[in-house]
Amino acid sequence: MEVPAPQPVLSPLTTASLFLVLTVDPGGEPVVRELLADLAGLQRSVGFGHPDGRLSVVAGIGSACWDRLVDGPRPAGLHPFRELQGARHRAPATPGDLLLHIRAARQDLCFSLGSEIMSRLRGAVAVADEVTGFTYLDQRDLLGFVDGTENPVGRAAAEAVLIGAEDPDFAGGAYVIVQKYLHDLDAWNRLPVEQQERIVGRRKLTNVEIDSPGSHVELNTITGPDGRERQILRDNMPFGSPGSGEFGTYFIGYARTPEVTEEMLRHMFLGDGPVSHDRILDFSTAVTGTLFFVPSADLLEDLGAEEDAGTGEAGSLGIGDLRSS
Ligand code: HEM
């Protein structure tokens, strides 16, 4: 089987990003389908003149929206984000039909592509959330720790993120979960650094991993039945506004199956064994939570040929054809 080309989910981490979470208005489906089919072309148009800008965009589609956009089979793991209520902390599920994850080496390129996309979608969607993320100092989150070190790279990243033979209709696709966290930085900064380090599981200055039972790193290191580590690809970004005292981390995790990220979230919010919860959550509140399917680039382009789900046949380049190819 020839694996369809993925969207640029594996593109290297960048210094600037724009996260747009949108809901699709009733009747907005044709506009959205056309935009999604043109997305790679828009990225090329805006980014071509700035080769060093490394502009990219990834689009994800939420569970309820999938059936409105596509008249055909569903990706096996696509479902709404599952809310978690722990003894102390909650991971809420919040609305989102579309995710646009725009990345570049320069914020103006994210802004430019985001503006083009929104000018096409205006009148067909509502904005549920918009976050401008930036790189902070030497790849730190606003808690002051280097974030992203243990991300898989190269072949391991592709293996962790891209759907393969397990769901052949959707090979080259991926799942992505996003959550917006707001930090109580005053309370965090009152903690002695050594205590912060035990919570995270790494040294703050040197980023070296330490042995700390129940740390964030330990809770998020999970293994499958074969004893191998199960990984996700994160591209968390700090965001905030000093003027209004808002400080946050936008969590974004890509994976080949949402189960892996969901297990990590269960560990963080519901605990694991003797550990009741991830103590990062005592200083970080999740205010959004949404799960999306990221179609392969080929499938995304073919969406333009889909007719209204439930009312017409799949178009000449529709999913029905992809399935039988
Ligand atoms: C407030 C939000 C969060 C912050 C500030 C944060 C920060 C960090 C930091 C500083 C590290 C250590 C360095 C690294 O390997 O990246 C880390 C590791 C990690 N985090 Fe988070 N994180 C957050 C939320 C999450 C969530 C929601 C998940 C998963 C659902 C997650 C999954 C992971 C994983 C898988 C690792 C690597 C563990 C390892 O193998 O060493 N994080 N995070």
Side-chain angles (χ1 to χ4, degrees):
M1 183 185 78
E2 200 186 318
V3 179
Q7 293 190 63
V9 288
L10 300 173
S11 73
L13 305 187
T14 57
T15 44
S17 61
L18 178 63
F19 302 92
L20 283 165
V21 174
L22 312 172
T23 55
V24 178
D25 296 341
E29 296 84 0
V31 175
V32 167
R33 271 198 292 265
E34 233 178 276
L35 177 276
L36 291 177
D38 289 350
L39 203 57
L42 270 182
Q43 173 195 307
R44 249 192 325 274
S45 302
V46 177
F48 186 75
H50 312 274
D52 297 338
R54 297 192 287 128
L55 179 66
S56 72
V57 56
V58 172
I61 301 174
S63 178
C65 189
W66 180 267
D67 299 323
R68 293 167 59 195
L69 294 180
V70 179
D71 186 22
R74 283 173 63 85
L78 182 57
H79 55 259
F81 180 82
R82 294 181 178 137
E83 185 161 313
L84 295 172
Q85 179 66 63
R88 292 272 285 276
H89 301 291
R90 175 169 166 258
T94 55
D97 290 331
L98 290 182
L99 168 73
L100 293 156
H101 179 199
I102 305 177
R103 295 183 265 192
R106 288 167 27 191
Q107 196 61 55
D108 62 332
L109 293 176
C110 296
F111 180 87
S112 178
L113 181 55
S115 303
E116 292 297 332
I117 291 171
M118 288 311 298
S119 75
R120 291 269 304 263
L121 291 177
R122 204 150 279 122
V125 301
V127 178
D129 194 26
E130 176 177 18
V131 171
T132 294
F134 54 85
T135 300
Y136 180 59
L137 306 177
D138 45 342
Q139 307 285 344
R140 290 176 191 267
D141 53 43
L142 296 185
L143 302 179
F145 283 77
V146 175
D147 193 354
T149 314
E150 287 303 325
N151 257 331
V153 291
R155 191 198 282 254
E159 171 89 359
V161 165
L162 299 179
I163 296 167
E166 70 275 23
D167 193 4
D169 289 346
F170 297 101
Y175 296 88
V176 63
I177 287 180
V178 294
Q179 283 183 304
K180 180 178 177 174
Y181 285 89
L182 296 178
H183 302 304
D184 181 349
L185 273 199
D186 289 341
W188 175 256
N189 288 329
R190 279 197 296 272
L191 285 187
V193 167
E194 267 195 23
Q195 213 172 320
Q196 296 179 353
E197 292 176 333
R198 281 198 297 276
I199 291 174
V200 172
R202 286 188 173 259
R203 289 279 175 234
K204 195 169 186 179
L205 180 64
T206 61
N207 187 32
V208 171
E209 195 168 335
I210 57 172
D211 186 20
S212 172
S215 69
H216 178 69
V217 163
E218 194 192 75
L219 288 173
N220 282 299
T221 305
I222 60 171
T223 46
D226 58 359
R228 286 177 63 202
E229 196 173 332
R230 302 189 85 189
Q231 291 187 299
I232 63 173
L233 185 65
R234 294 165 288 135
D235 195 0
N236 294 0
M237 278 276 178
F239 66 90
S241 155
S244 52
E246 183 181 82
F247 302 100
T249 295
Y250 201 87
F251 167 81
I252 180 161
Y254 289 98
R256 180 174 184 157
T257 156
E259 282 168 26
V260 180
T261 320
E262 287 170 341
E263 184 173 346
M264 293 173 178
L265 286 171
R266 281 196 300 276
H267 284 184
M268 286 178 66
F269 285 83
L270 310 182
D272 184 28
V275 181
S276 67
H277 65 279
D278 187 330
R279 286 162 297 157
I280 265 192
L281 300 177
D282 295 337
F283 306 89
S284 315
T285 306
V287 295
T288 70
T290 320
L291 187 158
F292 302 90
F293 174 66
V294 175
S296 67
D298 296 350
L299 186 47
L300 199 68
E301 235 181 279
D302 291 340
L303 282 181
E306 283 276 320
E307 301 202 355
D308 279 346
T311 57
E313 309 242 306
S316 58
L317 285 169
I319 283 192
D321 298 271
L322 271 181
R323 291 182 74 198
S324 53
S325 63

Short mmCIF file of all heavy atoms in Angstrom, two decimals, residues 192-241:
data_model
loop_
_atom_site.label_atom_id
_atom_site.label_comp_id
_atom_site.label_asym_id
_atom_site.label_seq_id
_atom_site.Cartn_x
_atom_site.Cartn_y
_atom_site.Cartn_z
N PRO A 192 10.22 26.76 46.39
CA PRO A 192 11.67 26.64 46.19
C PRO A 192 11.95 25.87 44.91
O PRO A 192 11.19 24.96 44.54
CB PRO A 192 12.13 25.83 47.41
CG PRO A 192 11.02 25.91 48.40
CD PRO A 192 9.76 26.15 47.63
N VAL A 193 13.02 26.24 44.21
CA VAL A 193 13.33 25.61 42.91
C VAL A 193 13.44 24.10 43.04
O VAL A 193 12.99 23.35 42.17
CB VAL A 193 14.62 26.24 42.33
CG1 VAL A 193 15.16 25.40 41.17
CG2 VAL A 193 14.36 27.66 41.87
N GLU A 194 14.01 23.63 44.16
CA GLU A 194 14.16 22.16 44.31
C GLU A 194 12.81 21.46 44.31
O GLU A 194 12.68 20.35 43.80
CB GLU A 194 14.89 21.84 45.61
CG GLU A 194 16.36 21.72 45.39
CD GLU A 194 17.07 21.05 46.54
OE1 GLU A 194 16.43 20.31 47.31
OE2 GLU A 194 18.27 21.30 46.67
N GLN A 195 11.83 22.10 44.90
CA GLN A 195 10.48 21.51 44.91
C GLN A 195 9.88 21.51 43.50
O GLN A 195 9.25 20.56 43.07
CB GLN A 195 9.60 22.30 45.86
CG GLN A 195 8.57 21.43 46.56
CD GLN A 195 7.86 22.23 47.63
OE1 GLN A 195 8.48 23.02 48.34
NE2 GLN A 195 6.56 22.06 47.75
N GLN A 196 10.09 22.63 42.78
CA GLN A 196 9.62 22.69 41.38
C GLN A 196 10.26 21.55 40.58
O GLN A 196 9.59 20.89 39.77
CB GLN A 196 10.02 24.02 40.75
CG GLN A 196 9.39 25.25 41.37
CD GLN A 196 9.86 26.53 40.68
OE1 GLN A 196 10.75 26.51 39.84
NE2 GLN A 196 9.28 27.65 41.08
N GLU A 197 11.55 21.34 40.82
CA GLU A 197 12.27 20.31 40.06
C GLU A 197 11.71 18.92 40.36
O GLU A 197 11.59 18.09 39.46
CB GLU A 197 13.77 20.36 40.39
CG GLU A 197 14.44 21.63 39.87
CD GLU A 197 15.90 21.75 40.27
OE1 GLU A 197 16.29 21.18 41.33
OE2 GLU A 197 16.66 22.44 39.55
N ARG A 198 11.33 18.67 41.62
CA ARG A 198 10.75 17.35 41.95
C ARG A 198 9.39 17.18 41.28
O ARG A 198 9.01 16.10 40.88
CB ARG A 198 10.63 17.19 43.47
CG ARG A 198 11.95 16.82 44.13
CD ARG A 198 11.74 16.23 45.52
NE ARG A 198 11.14 17.18 46.44
CZ ARG A 198 11.81 18.11 47.13
NH1 ARG A 198 13.13 18.20 46.99
NH2 ARG A 198 11.19 18.93 47.95
N ILE A 199 8.65 18.28 41.13
CA ILE A 199 7.33 18.21 40.48
C ILE A 199 7.49 17.90 38.99
O ILE A 199 6.78 17.06 38.44
CB ILE A 199 6.56 19.54 40.68
CG1 ILE A 199 6.17 19.68 42.16
CG2 ILE A 199 5.34 19.61 39.77
CD1 ILE A 199 5.51 21.00 42.51
N VAL A 200 8.45 18.56 38.36
CA VAL A 200 8.63 18.37 36.90
C VAL A 200 9.40 17.08 36.62
O VAL A 200 9.08 16.34 35.69
CB VAL A 200 9.34 19.59 36.28
CG1 VAL A 200 9.70 19.32 34.82
CG2 VAL A 200 8.46 20.83 36.37
N GLY A 201 10.45 16.83 37.44
CA GLY A 201 11.28 15.64 37.21
C GLY A 201 12.54 15.97 36.44
O GLY A 201 13.18 15.08 35.89
N ARG A 202 12.88 17.25 36.41
CA ARG A 202 14.11 17.68 35.73
C ARG A 202 14.73 18.85 36.49
O ARG A 202 14.01 19.59 37.17
CB ARG A 202 13.82 18.14 34.30
CG ARG A 202 13.55 17.01 33.38
CD ARG A 202 13.45 17.45 31.93
NE ARG A 202 13.37 16.28 31.10
CZ ARG A 202 14.38 15.76 30.42
NH1 ARG A 202 15.56 16.33 30.42
NH2 ARG A 202 14.21 14.67 29.69
N ARG A 203 16.03 19.03 36.34
CA ARG A 203 16.69 20.21 36.91
C ARG A 203 16.26 21.43 36.10
O ARG A 203 16.16 21.37 34.87
CB ARG A 203 18.21 20.05 36.85
CG ARG A 203 18.74 19.03 37.83
CD ARG A 203 18.87 19.58 39.23
NE ARG A 203 19.26 18.52 40.16
CZ ARG A 203 18.60 18.21 41.27
NH1 ARG A 203 17.50 18.87 41.61
NH2 ARG A 203 19.02 17.25 42.05
N LYS A 204 16.04 22.54 36.81
CA LYS A 204 15.53 23.73 36.11
C LYS A 204 16.62 24.36 35.24
O LYS A 204 16.36 24.70 34.08
CB LYS A 204 15.03 24.74 37.15
CG LYS A 204 14.17 25.84 36.56
CD LYS A 204 13.49 26.63 37.66
CE LYS A 204 12.51 27.64 37.10
NZ LYS A 204 11.83 28.41 38.15
N LEU A 205 17.81 24.49 35.78
CA LEU A 205 18.87 25.18 35.03
C LEU A 205 19.43 24.30 33.92
O LEU A 205 19.50 24.70 32.76
CB LEU A 205 19.99 25.63 35.98
CG LEU A 205 21.15 26.37 35.32
CD1 LEU A 205 20.68 27.69 34.73
CD2 LEU A 205 22.28 26.61 36.33
N THR A 206 19.79 23.07 34.28
CA THR A 206 20.52 22.24 33.31
C THR A 206 19.60 21.34 32.50
O THR A 206 20.04 20.73 31.53
CB THR A 206 21.51 21.32 34.04
OG1 THR A 206 20.75 20.47 34.93
CG2 THR A 206 22.52 22.12 34.84
N ASN A 207 18.34 21.17 32.91
CA ASN A 207 17.38 20.34 32.18
C ASN A 207 17.65 18.84 32.34
O ASN A 207 17.05 18.02 31.67
CB ASN A 207 17.38 20.75 30.70
CG ASN A 207 16.30 20.06 29.89
OD1 ASN A 207 15.23 19.77 30.42
ND2 ASN A 207 16.56 19.76 28.64
N VAL A 208 18.58 18.49 33.23
CA VAL A 208 18.92 17.07 33.40
C VAL A 208 17.80 16.36 34.17
O VAL A 208 17.27 16.90 35.15
CB VAL A 208 20.27 16.94 34.15
CG1 VAL A 208 20.55 15.49 34.55
CG2 VAL A 208 21.39 17.48 33.28
N GLU A 209 17.44 15.16 33.72
CA GLU A 209 16.35 14.41 34.36
C GLU A 209 16.79 13.93 35.75
O GLU A 209 17.94 13.54 35.94
CB GLU A 209 15.99 13.21 33.47
CG GLU A 209 14.68 12.59 33.87
CD GLU A 209 14.14 11.59 32.84
OE1 GLU A 209 14.50 11.71 31.65
OE2 GLU A 209 13.37 10.72 33.24
N ILE A 210 15.87 13.97 36.71
CA ILE A 210 16.19 13.48 38.06
C ILE A 210 15.20 12.39 38.44
O ILE A 210 14.11 12.31 37.88
CB ILE A 210 16.15 14.63 39.12
CG1 ILE A 210 14.77 15.31 39.11
CG2 ILE A 210 17.26 15.62 38.88
CD1 ILE A 210 14.57 16.31 40.24
N ASP A 211 15.60 11.58 39.40
CA ASP A 211 14.71 10.52 39.86
C ASP A 211 13.74 11.13 40.87
O ASP A 211 14.14 11.52 41.96
CB ASP A 211 15.59 9.44 40.52
CG ASP A 211 14.75 8.24 40.89
OD1 ASP A 211 13.65 8.09 40.30
OD2 ASP A 211 15.17 7.46 41.77
N SER A 212 12.48 11.24 40.47
CA SER A 212 11.51 11.86 41.37
C SER A 212 10.16 11.17 41.19
O SER A 212 9.41 11.46 40.25
CB SER A 212 11.40 13.36 41.04
OG SER A 212 10.34 13.94 41.78
N PRO A 213 9.84 10.23 42.09
CA PRO A 213 8.59 9.48 41.95
C PRO A 213 7.38 10.41 41.88
O PRO A 213 7.28 11.38 42.63
CB PRO A 213 8.55 8.63 43.23
CG PRO A 213 9.97 8.57 43.70
CD PRO A 213 10.62 9.84 43.27
N GLY A 214 6.48 10.13 40.93
CA GLY A 214 5.25 10.93 40.80
C GLY A 214 5.44 12.24 40.08
O GLY A 214 4.52 13.05 40.00
N SER A 215 6.64 12.45 39.50
CA SER A 215 6.87 13.71 38.78
C SER A 215 6.08 13.73 37.47
O SER A 215 5.59 12.68 37.01
CB SER A 215 8.36 13.87 38.45
OG SER A 215 8.72 12.91 37.47
N HIS A 216 5.99 14.91 36.87
CA HIS A 216 5.32 15.05 35.56
C HIS A 216 5.96 14.13 34.53
O HIS A 216 5.27 13.43 33.78
CB HIS A 216 5.42 16.52 35.12
CG HIS A 216 4.81 16.78 33.77
ND1 HIS A 216 3.46 16.72 33.54
CD2 HIS A 216 5.37 17.11 32.57
CE1 HIS A 216 3.20 16.99 32.27
NE2 HIS A 216 4.35 17.23 31.66
N VAL A 217 7.28 14.10 34.52
CA VAL A 217 7.99 13.26 33.56
C VAL A 217 7.66 11.79 33.81
O VAL A 217 7.35 11.04 32.87
CB VAL A 217 9.51 13.52 33.64
CG1 VAL A 217 10.29 12.39 32.98
CG2 VAL A 217 9.86 14.86 32.98
N GLU A 218 7.66 11.38 35.07
CA GLU A 218 7.39 9.96 35.36
C GLU A 218 5.95 9.58 34.98
O GLU A 218 5.70 8.55 34.37
CB GLU A 218 7.64 9.66 36.83
CG GLU A 218 7.70 8.16 37.07
CD GLU A 218 7.68 7.80 38.54
OE1 GLU A 218 6.58 7.89 39.14
OE2 GLU A 218 8.73 7.44 39.07
N LEU A 219 5.00 10.46 35.32
CA LEU A 219 3.59 10.15 35.02
C LEU A 219 3.34 10.06 33.53
O LEU A 219 2.40 9.39 33.09
CB LEU A 219 2.67 11.22 35.63
CG LEU A 219 2.52 11.19 37.15
CD1 LEU A 219 1.73 12.40 37.63
CD2 LEU A 219 1.83 9.91 37.60
N ASN A 220 4.15 10.76 32.75
CA ASN A 220 3.95 10.78 31.30
C ASN A 220 4.87 9.84 30.55
O ASN A 220 4.91 9.86 29.32
CB ASN A 220 4.11 12.21 30.78
CG ASN A 220 2.86 13.03 31.07
OD1 ASN A 220 1.79 12.70 30.60
ND2 ASN A 220 3.01 14.07 31.87
N THR A 221 5.62 9.02 31.28
CA THR A 221 6.43 7.99 30.63
C THR A 221 5.63 6.70 30.72
O THR A 221 5.50 6.12 31.79
CB THR A 221 7.80 7.85 31.34
OG1 THR A 221 8.42 9.14 31.36
CG2 THR A 221 8.70 6.87 30.60
N ILE A 222 5.06 6.30 29.60
CA ILE A 222 4.18 5.12 29.65
C ILE A 222 4.67 4.07 28.66
O ILE A 222 5.27 4.40 27.63
CB ILE A 222 2.70 5.49 29.38
CG1 ILE A 222 2.52 6.11 28.01
CG2 ILE A 222 2.15 6.42 30.45
CD1 ILE A 222 1.06 6.26 27.64
N THR A 223 4.41 2.81 28.99
CA THR A 223 4.88 1.73 28.12
C THR A 223 3.69 0.88 27.67
O THR A 223 2.68 0.78 28.37
CB THR A 223 5.88 0.83 28.88
OG1 THR A 223 5.34 0.55 30.17
CG2 THR A 223 7.23 1.47 29.02
N GLY A 224 3.84 0.27 26.52
CA GLY A 224 2.80 -0.60 25.98
C GLY A 224 2.98 -2.02 26.51
O GLY A 224 3.92 -2.29 27.27
N PRO A 225 2.08 -2.94 26.10
CA PRO A 225 2.16 -4.33 26.57
C PRO A 225 3.48 -4.99 26.19
O PRO A 225 3.94 -5.91 26.87
CB PRO A 225 0.99 -5.03 25.86
CG PRO A 225 0.27 -4.00 25.07
CD PRO A 225 0.97 -2.69 25.18
N ASP A 226 4.10 -4.51 25.09
CA ASP A 226 5.39 -5.09 24.68
C ASP A 226 6.58 -4.50 25.44
O ASP A 226 7.72 -4.81 25.17
CB ASP A 226 5.59 -4.86 23.17
CG ASP A 226 5.54 -3.38 22.80
OD1 ASP A 226 5.34 -2.53 23.70
OD2 ASP A 226 5.72 -3.05 21.61
N GLY A 227 6.28 -3.63 26.42
CA GLY A 227 7.35 -3.05 27.23
C GLY A 227 8.01 -1.85 26.57
O GLY A 227 8.88 -1.21 27.16
N ARG A 228 7.59 -1.54 25.34
CA ARG A 228 8.21 -0.38 24.66
C ARG A 228 7.50 0.90 25.07
O ARG A 228 6.29 0.91 25.31
CB ARG A 228 8.12 -0.54 23.14
CG ARG A 228 9.08 -1.59 22.62
CD ARG A 228 8.91 -1.77 21.12
NE ARG A 228 9.22 -0.55 20.36
CZ ARG A 228 8.76 -0.33 19.13
NH1 ARG A 228 7.97 -1.18 18.54
NH2 ARG A 228 9.08 0.79 18.49
N GLU A 229 8.28 2.01 25.12
CA GLU A 229 7.68 3.28 25.50
C GLU A 229 6.71 3.74 24.42
O GLU A 229 6.98 3.59 23.23
CB GLU A 229 8.79 4.33 25.69
CG GLU A 229 8.30 5.53 26.44
CD GLU A 229 9.43 6.52 26.77
OE1 GLU A 229 10.59 6.10 26.93
OE2 GLU A 229 9.12 7.72 26.87
N ARG A 230 5.57 4.27 24.83
CA ARG A 230 4.59 4.82 23.88
C ARG A 230 4.74 6.33 23.89
O ARG A 230 4.59 6.97 24.94
CB ARG A 230 3.17 4.41 24.27
CG ARG A 230 3.02 2.90 24.35
CD ARG A 230 1.56 2.52 24.53
NE ARG A 230 0.87 2.44 23.25
CZ ARG A 230 -0.45 2.30 23.13
NH1 ARG A 230 -1.21 2.27 24.20
NH2 ARG A 230 -1.02 2.22 21.95
N GLN A 231 5.00 6.88 22.72
CA GLN A 231 5.35 8.31 22.67
C GLN A 231 4.31 9.14 21.92
O GLN A 231 3.55 8.61 21.10
CB GLN A 231 6.70 8.48 22.00
CG GLN A 231 7.83 7.94 22.86
CD GLN A 231 9.17 8.27 22.25
OE1 GLN A 231 9.49 7.86 21.14
NE2 GLN A 231 9.98 9.03 22.97
N ILE A 232 4.32 10.43 22.21
CA ILE A 232 3.54 11.39 21.44
C ILE A 232 4.50 12.48 20.99
O ILE A 232 5.63 12.56 21.48
CB ILE A 232 2.37 12.01 22.26
CG1 ILE A 232 2.90 12.82 23.45
CG2 ILE A 232 1.42 10.92 22.74
CD1 ILE A 232 1.81 13.60 24.19
N LEU A 233 4.05 13.30 20.05
CA LEU A 233 4.88 14.41 19.59
C LEU A 233 4.24 15.71 20.06
O LEU A 233 3.12 16.03 19.67
CB LEU A 233 4.97 14.40 18.05
CG LEU A 233 5.89 15.42 17.42
CD1 LEU A 233 7.35 15.16 17.80
CD2 LEU A 233 5.76 15.39 15.89
N ARG A 234 4.96 16.43 20.95
CA ARG A 234 4.40 17.65 21.53
C ARG A 234 5.01 18.87 20.86
O ARG A 234 6.17 18.85 20.47
CB ARG A 234 4.72 17.72 23.03
CG ARG A 234 4.04 16.64 23.86
CD ARG A 234 4.68 16.54 25.23
NE ARG A 234 6.00 15.95 25.18
CZ ARG A 234 7.07 16.41 25.82
NH1 ARG A 234 7.00 17.46 26.60
NH2 ARG A 234 8.24 15.81 25.70
N ASP A 235 4.22 19.93 20.74
CA ASP A 235 4.79 21.21 20.30
C ASP A 235 4.18 22.31 21.17
O ASP A 235 3.63 23.29 20.67
CB ASP A 235 4.52 21.44 18.81
CG ASP A 235 5.39 22.56 18.26
OD1 ASP A 235 6.19 23.13 19.03
OD2 ASP A 235 5.28 22.86 17.06
N ASN A 236 4.29 22.10 22.49
CA ASN A 236 3.75 23.07 23.45
C ASN A 236 4.32 24.46 23.20
O ASN A 236 5.47 24.58 22.85
CB ASN A 236 4.14 22.70 24.88
CG ASN A 236 3.50 21.41 25.33
OD1 ASN A 236 2.77 20.78 24.58
ND2 ASN A 236 3.79 21.01 26.55
N MET A 237 3.51 25.45 23.43
CA MET A 237 3.99 26.83 23.26
C MET A 237 3.53 27.69 24.43
O MET A 237 2.36 27.64 24.81
CB MET A 237 3.40 27.43 21.99
CG MET A 237 4.13 27.04 20.75
SD MET A 237 5.55 28.12 20.52
CE MET A 237 6.28 27.43 19.07
N PRO A 238 4.42 28.50 24.98
CA PRO A 238 4.00 29.49 25.96
C PRO A 238 3.16 30.57 25.28
O PRO A 238 3.32 30.83 24.09
CB PRO A 238 5.31 30.11 26.45
CG PRO A 238 6.39 29.20 25.99
CD PRO A 238 5.88 28.51 24.76
N PHE A 239 2.26 31.15 26.04
CA PHE A 239 1.53 32.32 25.54
C PHE A 239 1.23 33.18 26.76
O PHE A 239 1.35 32.71 27.90
CB PHE A 239 0.23 31.91 24.84
CG PHE A 239 -0.78 31.28 25.75
CD1 PHE A 239 -1.73 32.05 26.42
CD2 PHE A 239 -0.77 29.91 25.98
CE1 PHE A 239 -2.65 31.47 27.28
CE2 PHE A 239 -1.69 29.32 26.84
CZ PHE A 239 -2.63 30.10 27.50
N GLY A 240 0.81 34.40 26.52
CA GLY A 240 0.44 35.19 27.68
C GLY A 240 0.37 36.67 27.39
O GLY A 240 0.56 37.12 26.26
N SER A 241 0.06 37.38 28.46
CA SER A 241 -0.08 38.82 28.37
C SER A 241 0.34 39.41 29.72
O SER A 241 -0.41 39.30 30.69
CB SER A 241 -1.55 39.15 28.07
OG SER A 241 -1.87 40.43 28.52
#
